[in-house]
Structures are given as C-alpha cells and as structure tokens.
C-alpha cells in the first residue's frame, strides 16, 4: 500500500498515461488489491480492479457455499454488500469523465450466477471498476490515493468479512436461494411444470419497475383448493401452493384480472429471486420458454411445416427463411426453435400473440376453407406437440373459449385469484352444437436440427472485431445488430454481455465448425461453463472478466437465431 501511495504522489498532475505503471498487485493490511487494467483516459471504460481476501481473514465457513445454489447465493450477496458499501463510502464522481467512480456489476430481483465475485476455500474475490481521477488529462494523484487507499479499504472492510455482515440476512439469502433450486428440481417428480406458493406477491410496482407492488395494494396469491400441493424444501420446510400440472393449461378471465401478471411470474420462475421479492417461491421448470409473435424478425431455415404450409406462390415451409416474418410465421419459428433446444414448457399470452396463429373458429372454417389457409393454428397442434415431445403449454386466453376443448387445466382468474373451472369449461364446450373441426394431421412434425455455418457468424467489422452489448435489447456483432427486445426471459444486461462472448467463445473453440448443430454447440459451451466457471468465456486472460451473468442456452440460441447474417444447413436424419 505504501508503494501505491508513493507512485500516486509521484505522478500527481502528470499526463494520464503515467497511470499505466499502477498495473500490478498491492498488499494491504488484510487483503490484496490487484490493478488488472488501467484505462487510457478519464472518459474510457473504467479501470479493472480486484480485491482478494484470504479465507482465514474473510471467515466464510464452508457450509455457506457448500453447493452450487449456496455458492451462487453467497457470491451474489457479497456483490450486493460491496455495492451497498460503495454507495456509502465512495465520494463518487469528481473530476473529468468518470473520475472517482467505483462500480461493481450487481443483480436486481434475480439471483443469477455472475463473475463479479468468486468464493472458495482459499479466498473471496470481488471484481470491480474504478475511474482513476483526473482533471482534463492531468492525474489527480492525491484524490486517487484517497480512493484506493482510504475508500476502497473501508468498502472492503464492511462487505468482504463475514464478521461485519448481517449474519441472519446472509443465512436467509442463501437458504431462500437453495430452497428455490430444490423446489424447482422437485417439479418433475410431482409431474408439475410450475409452483406458485400461497402468499406470493405477483404484481410489480409499475410497468417499468420489477419491484413488488406494496402488500397493502396487492391481492396475495392463494391456490385453488383442487390444485394445492405441499412440497418440502430443505430450509423453509413444507410449503403449500398451486401446482400447475404438465399438459395444457389455459388461463382465462376478464380483462385486468391478473392473467398476464400470473404468467409473467411463471415465466420468471426459471430464476431464483431475492428474499422479499414476492416471487421467491414461484418456481418453473428451467426449460420453460416464453413464446410471442415477433413481426419483422429474420428466420433461417426453420421447419415450421407443423404450423404453416401451402404459402402463396408455393413458398416452402420445411426450411422456411425470411428476412421479414409475419406475426404467425415468427411465432411458429419461435416455437420450433425453442423445441430444437429442448423446451419442455411453452408460455404464451394472447397479449403478445398473433390471433390467427392461436385460433380459427368454426365460422371462419365455413367461409375460408382449409386449403385457403396456410396456418394450422396452435390449438390444433398443442396436444400433438405434448403427445410427441412431452412439451407442455400454459396459455393466457381471455378472448376465446375454443381452447377448452384441448385443455387439461382451465384456470379462471377472478379479481387476481385463480379458480379451477376445467369441468365447467368442458361441459360448456361439449354441449355446443356448432363445434369447430380439428384441422391437423395426427402428428406434430419432426424437429429438424440446424447446423450453423461458421463464416456466417462474423464478429469482424473491417479488420477489427466489433462486439458490444447494449442494455437488455441489443448486441452489435460485427456489422450486424441483433435485436433481443422480444426475448422476454433475458432479465439482466450482464446476461446479454455474456451471450455475445459465449458466441465468440464457441467460435474460438471451434464448436461452431459446420458440423455441430446449434443445440450441440450450446451444450458444449454450457458444459465448459459448468466445469470451468463463467470466467472461461472471457478472452481477457490477464484481467478480470468483468460483468457476466449466466444466460440459459435458450437465450443464447435466441441471439444466434436473430443474427441476420446467420446461415445454416438442416440436419436431415
Ligand atoms: P390481464 O392480463 O388479466 O388483463 P394484468 O395481469 O395485466 O391483467 O393485470 C392488470 C393490473 O392488475 C396490472 O396493473 C397489475 O399490476 C394488477 N395486478 C395483477 N395482479 C394483482 C394482484 N394480485 N394484486 C393487485 N394488483 C394486481
Ligand atoms: Mg393480459
């Protein structure tokens, strides 16, 4: 630390480049500070730093991170604690550009594996960013001294030593996370696809906030008696709530009665949530994929013939490509692409679906004959799909009762609470005289896997690699821009950051080699991540990997599928 202080007083007021000599490691009283990378100027992305505290000083006992759930939770907790201490101890921006800021990549309502913190039997390490202070391009050495040798030790002291953390909060955080993983793993055994605990708070504060609506304004969730199940988790013990069975579930109800809110909570149930989120005991099988219409998207050789055939001018739908999909073709492709990666639950909402993809009623059947309608609506394939692939569906549909015919479970949302009305719905539909005809062959078609062609995934713009993720919605990939705004289960910008580097990693490992299918490529990358950690996808070897949060293979596939330059060959068996 004295060495660091000396350098900083020596380079005070010198040109910014002199900061470069800071690169290296410095022993502080009870931790080591690593300066991995020094930014080029005060406006550039901030410098990359790490703090490593040996475990004999940090004092986190092994049982706090004894399995993957607990470890992810503890790492996440420490990141949040570090972030909170930054807010408290850092004076923040002072000087030019990003001078004086300290930042760590921190999650929100979800607990997701990230690269901001690593814990093991030897040490705790946080990876963070600091804007080295300057005025213009002139180094503010003494200000930097204050930041690195006063603020940072205080932040570390408060957040990286077990004795200084709120032990009951740490315990709860870890246990809630472990319970969620446990419950999620139980679903299959109970033949369920989702579980919503009684007492959950599903609505969010607003359309732009993911925080829970205040309890006083919320109707607390309660399962209909017929669907109530009791599951057992290791920490909380027995929990009661609604179990949604495998098969076809339709959620009906009047407008503004909470249908979409329930479906959104189910859709987010693939992630663990923080205590007091309100959805921390809403769990969904991890291969659940939200499906929506996405007009204008690019589609590359997807076999959508189970849903669409006989297009005008004889356009082929066995290897359907377009650079401008319609509502229905985009929704069909989204389904087939999800099945290609092994989705076992599809989630659809009428609010974001193409009507003609979902339904075609008996009146329409009389006026527009089958041979004039390319679309086999989802209603006529949803059971076939379940029959052949065991992929369940949960569908929100307040606008048509046609789906009663094919539903196993019908949930009626009434003033934000679900009731089971399957029998009543079946009775009504069966007593109808003028019923719609089924329009599908008895089989859902094959899922044709696709092999990406490496040269079509090009991260270069001219002679330089250009990859940048922007927020939740966008990746700049070479000369292309990937639009992820309709990929609704991405919840964290750091997942988008990881997605782009996973694609690069797959290229560099030669997993994208013109032989592996998309599903195989993603299997290999996630295998590597499981084995070596999420750090592995970073191309930086001498500096910390920065800010990644783990995406699922479905979201990585979604990005590749939306890369407009992508070319594939279909794998025919
Ligand atoms: P629907 O899809 O049935 O039209 P939404 O799910 O969009 O209805 O919900 C309508 C409104 O009600 C939203 O503003 C939502 O936040 C609110 N809401 C949903 N569930 C609850 C609840 N359990 N308690 C209080 N408000 C809720
Ligand atoms: Mg709705």
């Amino acid at each position: 630390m004295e060495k660091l202080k000396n350098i900083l007083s020596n380079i005070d007021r010198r040109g910014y480049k002199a900061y470069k000599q800071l690169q290296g490691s410095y022993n502080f009283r009870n931790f080591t500070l690593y300066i991995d990378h020094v930014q080029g100027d005060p406006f550039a992305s901030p410098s990359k730093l790490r703090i490593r505290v040996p475990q004999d000083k940090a004092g986190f006992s092994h049982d706090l991170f004894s399995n993957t759930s607990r470890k992810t939770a503890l790492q996440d907790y420490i990141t949040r604690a570090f972030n909170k201490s930054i807010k408290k101890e850092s004076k923040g921006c002072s000087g030019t550009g990003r001078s004086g800021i300290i930042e760590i990549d921190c999650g929100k309502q979800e607990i997701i594996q990230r690269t901001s913190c690593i814990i093991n039997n030897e040490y705790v390490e946080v990876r963070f960013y600091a804007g080295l202070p300057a005025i213009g391009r002139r180094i503010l050495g003494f200000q930097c001294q204050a930041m690195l040798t006063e603020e940072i030790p205080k932040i570390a002291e408060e957040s990286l030593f077990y004795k200084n953390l709120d032990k009951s909060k740490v315990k709860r955080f870890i246990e809630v996370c472990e319970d969620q993983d446990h419950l999620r793993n139980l679903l299959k055994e109970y033949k369920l696809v989702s579980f919503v605990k009684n007492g959950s708070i599903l609505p969010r504060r607003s359309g732009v906030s993911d925080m829970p609506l205040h309890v006083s304004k919320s109707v607390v969730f309660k399962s209909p008696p017929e669907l109530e199940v009791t599951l057992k988790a290791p920490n909380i013990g027995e929990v009661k709530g609604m179990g949604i069975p495998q098969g076809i579930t339709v959620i009906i109800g009047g407008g503004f009665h909470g249908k979409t809110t329930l479906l959104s909570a189910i859709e987010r149930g693939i992630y663990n949530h923080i205590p007091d989120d309100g959805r921390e005991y809403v769990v969904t099988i991890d291969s659940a994929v939200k499906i929506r219409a996405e007009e204008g998207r690019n589609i590359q050789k997807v076999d959508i013939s189970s849903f669409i055939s006989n297009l005008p001018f004889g356009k082929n739908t066995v290897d359907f490509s377009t650079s401008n999909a319609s509502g229905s073709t985009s929704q069909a492709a989204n389904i087939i692409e999800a099945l290609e990666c092994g989705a076992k639950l599809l989630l659809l909402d009428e609010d974001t679906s193409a009507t003609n993809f979902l339904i075609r009623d008996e009146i329409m059947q009389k006026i527009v004959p089958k041979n004039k309608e390319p679309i086999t609506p989802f209603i006529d394939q949803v059971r076939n799909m379940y029959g052949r692939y065991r992929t369940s569906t949960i569908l929100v549909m307040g606008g048509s009762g046609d789906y009663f015919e094919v539903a196993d479970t019908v949930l009626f949302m009434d003033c934000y609470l679900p009731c089971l009305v399957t029998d009543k719905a079946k009775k009504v539909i069966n007593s109808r005289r003028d019923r719609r005809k089924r329009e599908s062959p008895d089989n859902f078609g094959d899922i044709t896997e696709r092999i990406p062609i490496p040269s079509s995934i090009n991260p270069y713009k001219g002679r330089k690699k250009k990859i940048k993720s922007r927020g939740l919605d966008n990746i700049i990939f070479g000369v292309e821009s990937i639009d992820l705004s309709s990929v609704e289960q991405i919840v964290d910008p750091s997942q988008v950051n990881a997605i782009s580097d996973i694609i690069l990693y797959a290229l560099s490992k030669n997993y994208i080699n013109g032989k592996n299918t998309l599903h195989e490529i993603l299997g290999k990358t996630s295998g590597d991540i499981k084995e070596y950690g999420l750090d592995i996808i970073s191309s930086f070897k001498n500096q910390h990997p920065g800010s990644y949060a783990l995406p699922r293979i479905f979201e990585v596939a979604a990005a590749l599928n939306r890369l407009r330059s992508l070319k594939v060959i279909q794998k025919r068996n």
Side-chain angles (χ1 to χ4, degrees), residues 256 259-261 349-351 396:
F256 223 68
K259 302 182 297 296
T260 296
T261 303
D349 192 330
E350 62 183 347
D351 292 350
V396 166

mmCIF file of all heavy atoms in Angstrom, residues 256 259-261 349-351 396, ligand 2:
data_model
loop_
_atom_site.group_PDB
_atom_site.id
_atom_site.type_symbol
_atom_site.label_atom_id
_atom_site.label_comp_id
_atom_site.label_asym_id
_atom_site.label_seq_id
_atom_site.Cartn_x
_atom_site.Cartn_y
_atom_site.Cartn_z
ATOM 1 N N PHE A 256 -57.863 -7.215 -17.121
ATOM 2 C CA PHE A 256 -57.372 -6.567 -15.907
ATOM 3 C C PHE A 256 -57.609 -7.399 -14.644
ATOM 4 O O PHE A 256 -57.690 -6.878 -13.542
ATOM 5 C CB PHE A 256 -58.019 -5.173 -15.750
ATOM 6 C CG PHE A 256 -57.027 -4.126 -15.315
ATOM 7 C CD1 PHE A 256 -56.011 -3.721 -16.159
ATOM 8 C CD2 PHE A 256 -57.100 -3.548 -14.052
ATOM 9 C CE1 PHE A 256 -55.094 -2.756 -15.754
ATOM 10 C CE2 PHE A 256 -56.181 -2.583 -13.640
ATOM 11 C CZ PHE A 256 -55.179 -2.185 -14.493
ATOM 12 N N LYS A 259 -54.246 -12.014 -15.334
ATOM 13 C CA LYS A 259 -53.784 -13.168 -16.116
ATOM 14 C C LYS A 259 -52.315 -13.016 -16.521
ATOM 15 O O LYS A 259 -51.503 -13.906 -16.302
ATOM 16 C CB LYS A 259 -54.644 -13.337 -17.394
ATOM 17 C CG LYS A 259 -56.123 -13.508 -17.144
ATOM 18 C CD LYS A 259 -56.901 -13.725 -18.438
ATOM 19 C CE LYS A 259 -56.854 -12.564 -19.410
ATOM 20 N NZ LYS A 259 -57.472 -11.310 -18.929
ATOM 21 N N THR A 260 -52.025 -11.871 -17.122
ATOM 22 C CA THR A 260 -50.654 -11.644 -17.591
ATOM 23 C C THR A 260 -49.678 -11.615 -16.419
ATOM 24 O O THR A 260 -48.556 -12.122 -16.510
ATOM 25 C CB THR A 260 -50.590 -10.336 -18.405
ATOM 26 O OG1 THR A 260 -51.413 -10.502 -19.572
ATOM 27 C CG2 THR A 260 -49.172 -10.008 -18.837
ATOM 28 N N THR A 261 -50.125 -11.049 -15.315
ATOM 29 C CA THR A 261 -49.257 -10.966 -14.138
ATOM 30 C C THR A 261 -48.880 -12.362 -13.646
ATOM 31 O O THR A 261 -47.718 -12.623 -13.310
ATOM 32 C CB THR A 261 -49.972 -10.183 -13.020
ATOM 33 O OG1 THR A 261 -50.325 -8.900 -13.538
ATOM 34 C CG2 THR A 261 -49.091 -10.031 -11.802
ATOM 35 N N ASP A 349 -49.024 -15.718 -24.274
ATOM 36 C CA ASP A 349 -50.009 -14.756 -23.784
ATOM 37 C C ASP A 349 -50.731 -14.173 -24.989
ATOM 38 O O ASP A 349 -50.084 -13.746 -25.952
ATOM 39 C CB ASP A 349 -49.289 -13.644 -23.008
ATOM 40 C CG ASP A 349 -50.251 -12.757 -22.223
ATOM 41 O OD1 ASP A 349 -51.407 -12.585 -22.668
ATOM 42 O OD2 ASP A 349 -49.844 -12.243 -21.165
ATOM 43 N N GLU A 350 -52.042 -14.133 -24.921
ATOM 44 C CA GLU A 350 -52.803 -13.556 -26.043
ATOM 45 C C GLU A 350 -52.366 -12.127 -26.337
ATOM 46 O O GLU A 350 -52.436 -11.671 -27.461
ATOM 47 C CB GLU A 350 -54.300 -13.587 -25.747
ATOM 48 C CG GLU A 350 -54.667 -12.764 -24.515
ATOM 49 C CD GLU A 350 -56.143 -12.826 -24.146
ATOM 50 O OE1 GLU A 350 -56.936 -13.306 -24.966
ATOM 51 O OE2 GLU A 350 -56.482 -12.407 -23.021
ATOM 52 N N ASP A 351 -51.907 -11.417 -25.287
ATOM 53 C CA ASP A 351 -51.496 -10.015 -25.468
ATOM 54 C C ASP A 351 -50.363 -9.875 -26.474
ATOM 55 O O ASP A 351 -50.233 -8.842 -27.124
ATOM 56 C CB ASP A 351 -51.010 -9.397 -24.139
ATOM 57 C CG ASP A 351 -52.130 -9.234 -23.118
ATOM 58 O OD1 ASP A 351 -53.300 -9.418 -23.497
ATOM 59 O OD2 ASP A 351 -51.821 -8.939 -21.947
ATOM 60 N N VAL A 396 -52.374 -17.926 -21.863
ATOM 61 C CA VAL A 396 -53.361 -16.953 -21.381
ATOM 62 C C VAL A 396 -54.296 -16.628 -22.533
ATOM 63 O O VAL A 396 -53.848 -16.214 -23.595
ATOM 64 C CB VAL A 396 -52.682 -15.655 -20.902
ATOM 65 C CG1 VAL A 396 -53.709 -14.545 -20.721
ATOM 66 C CG2 VAL A 396 -51.937 -15.900 -19.607
HETATM 67 MG MG1 LIG B 2 -53.143 -9.540 -20.192
#
